[in-house]
Amino acid sequence: MAQKTSTLQDVARVAGVSTATVSRTLSNPKMVNESTRERVAEAVRVSGYRVNRAARNLRTQRAQSVLVLLPDLANPFFSAILEGISLNLSRRGYSMLIASTKQVHDSGDRLIDYLDDARADGMIILDGGLDPAVVASLKNAPQSKPILFACEWVEDGNFPSVRSENRRGTGTAVRYLHSIGHRKIAHVTGPDGNVLMHARKDAFVAECEKLDLELKPEWIIPGDFSLRAGCLAAKTWIAFEDRPTAVFCASDLLALGFISELSRQDFKVPQDVSVMGFDDIDLAEQFIPPLTSIRQDRLLIGETAASMLLERLTTQSGEGTEHAAVVPVSLIIRESTAPPNSRP
Amino acid sequence: MAQKTSTLQDVARVAGVSTATVSRTLSNPKMVNESTRERVAEAVRVSGYRVNRAARNLRTQRAQSVLVLLPDLANPFFSAILEGISLNLSRRGYSMLIASTKQVHDSGDRLIDYLDDARADGMIILDGGLDPAVVASLKNAPQSKPILFACEWVEDGNFPSVRSENRRGTGTAVRYLHSIGHRKIAHVTGPDGNVLMHARKDAFVAECEKLDLELKPEWIIPGDFSLRAGCLAAKTWIAFEDRPTAVFCASDLLALGFISELSRQDFKVPQDVSVMGFDDIDLAEQFIPPLTSIRQDRLLIGETAASMLLERLTTQSGEGTEHAAVVPVSLIIRESTAPPNSRP
DNA sequence: CATCGATATGTAATCGATTACAATAATGAT
DNA sequence: ATCATTATTGTAATCGATTACATATCGATG
């Protein structure tokens, strides 16, 4: 039952060759003779040999794993991204380590340790809200291993990144609402200081100006991407004297919360107000009413992030590799939006 | 910038002691003299030393990491469990590796490799639907490393596990519906063959019998825990001649899908039918109407799973450690349930 | 036939930490 | 003063794979 796993030595003994030959057979088969290759393959089979990663990692100075850092494991937005990352990593024999910045915060700046202590070869960060001091420590780490931001990013540091078309998506949203007749549009923002919040808010304001839409300052309602903030924003909207006929939320969760609260107060969507979100999470389609949204291809974001990082890991210091990938978004029209006053 | 990380050797040289002493200072401080301890600590500080995990892992024959296996990263049900696992693992210096059984399936039986190739010391499985052949291979692996099932489990193999009180929770749900006046209750089940599906269905039937409730065979509606299956189940319910006044769904997603579809068809919850779920995912509270559910403490499940596994990792072969932990569930009453015919 | 190149394989150093064992000093008991 | 005991530190083997370098074999070439 609990027998030892066999080592290269064992395989070498069985096959009657040296460990070097076995190693070569496994990692670079065309270096060895056909006949020995077969003998070794057979020996590997009978002994049930599995490479010992710790030994290989020590010798090759790699970990064959990547750390993914999330702000919050409980946010469903991230799951598809993880799926994409994991898919590409495992395809190349890499493992995916997960940590959440919340916990990092709790336990000091242990973040850089993952890279420094040879547990991971690189890092994909999905949290743009990292403490600047932590970011700096990452940048100046003794061994500068590749770090890449996905979805969110930090302004300084000039890290490579994968992003969605936040500006274009926001512009598309506003133009769509405008095209079906809305002239007064509110925006519920992400959390203060968040890069996505700024990108989307700025794009929102810019598009409103371009279309020459009225935009009262209070129609920019501060939020934080969460359901709860969406509920609060709905209360704000209800309290307005002059209510916008459409609301563009910076995330789907905000939009869902917004609609929930409106329903509780007996407002109807889209009859009383059109609501749209950003992300197109799984739930958007199933909600009542199904939510109009800007879809981010989260799987693709994840896959892109993983392959960009692997690129940098395998080519020396990432010469000539793409620095910032932008993943397209698309407008998904469902039932939470309609022309204004559609129920006269 | 890209300077080498310093090794034990470097620290030893700076402190003027041997590597053995440095190692001891770090792992077992009370073995070394106060003064050398300080000297070493200082040397560690100035050289910015970080242990090389690969080296340690090779020497100690451990990976200091645990693999968590999910059926589906995209399911929000798992996120809080991961949070709990991660919390307990990182507290003890362990890393969390994530893989999904979907991908494992795609790439052959590489699952056992994680343990065999020294990447992980143990495994937490959140998927009871594993191929029996894979399960067997896990059980008979050359080095039998600890494996633990959480939430779901497999019948054979006698693996340790952490579960929620599925039976009691289901009983509570049925008794609650009965107590507010329902006499005809349907059940939307999980996927065929799933252990949770069976546990909950059996408990449902048993409780109905105990309460002497009518239960037509077609009132057991097959589903699979997903939103979509909930929608389909709603169509089934609508088609009944004799409609149950309450529906107990085996998961929250099912319940949400069920309610969504009913809304589309202009049925009102809870006026036309009471609907309840199982899990109490984040969304349940925000849905319209807020969902009555049986709450599983997912964070606690995760924490328990991690600490049970760590227990087995640190004590030799897990003598006298708990074999099956059961985590309590609780009834959360919200607005998706009400006495029947509440709108006469 | 000597020499060169290509091919195939073996020998042994190496990665960086841990730890068994040995060595030494310090302390106390007799 | 002697021996046992404890406390502290050093020496070197070890974990298991990779790989630089050395060696051996074979055929072809001039």
Side-chain angles (χ1 to χ4, degrees), chain A residues 306-341:
Chain A
S307 62
M308 278 177 66
L309 192 74
L310 287 174
E311 186 75 13
R312 274 151 202 277
L313 284 175
T314 45
T315 72
Q316 50 281 28
S317 73
E319 296 304 323
T321 57
E322 198 174 16
H323 190 77
V326 177
V327 177
V329 298
S330 51
L331 172 64
I332 307 292
I333 299 175
R334 298 203 184 89
E335 299 164 32
S336 67
T337 50
N341 304 314

Side-chain angles (χ1 to χ4, degrees), chain B residues 7-8 23 49 56 59:
Chain B
T7 71
L8 260 195
S23 176
Y49 170 77
R56 168 190 286 173
R59 176 59 222 239

Side-chain angles (χ1 to χ4, degrees), chain B residues 6 11 14 38-50:
Chain B
S6 49
V11 177
V14 172
E38 277 166 12
R39 219 144 30 95
V40 170
E42 176 64 10
V44 166
R45 261 197 352 89
V46 303
S47 58
Y49 170 77
R50 293 279 113 110

Side-chain angles (χ1 to χ4, degrees), chain B residues 138-152:
Chain B
L138 289 177
K139 197 66 183 176
N140 304 321
Q143 359 203 39
S144 64
K145 294 184 175 178
I147 292 174
L148 180 143
F149 279 78
C151 291
E152 303 196 357

Side-chain angles (χ1 to χ4, degrees), chain A residues 7-8 20 23 49 56 59:
Chain A
T7 71
L8 260 195
S23 177
Y49 170 76
R56 167 189 286 173
R59 177 59 222 240

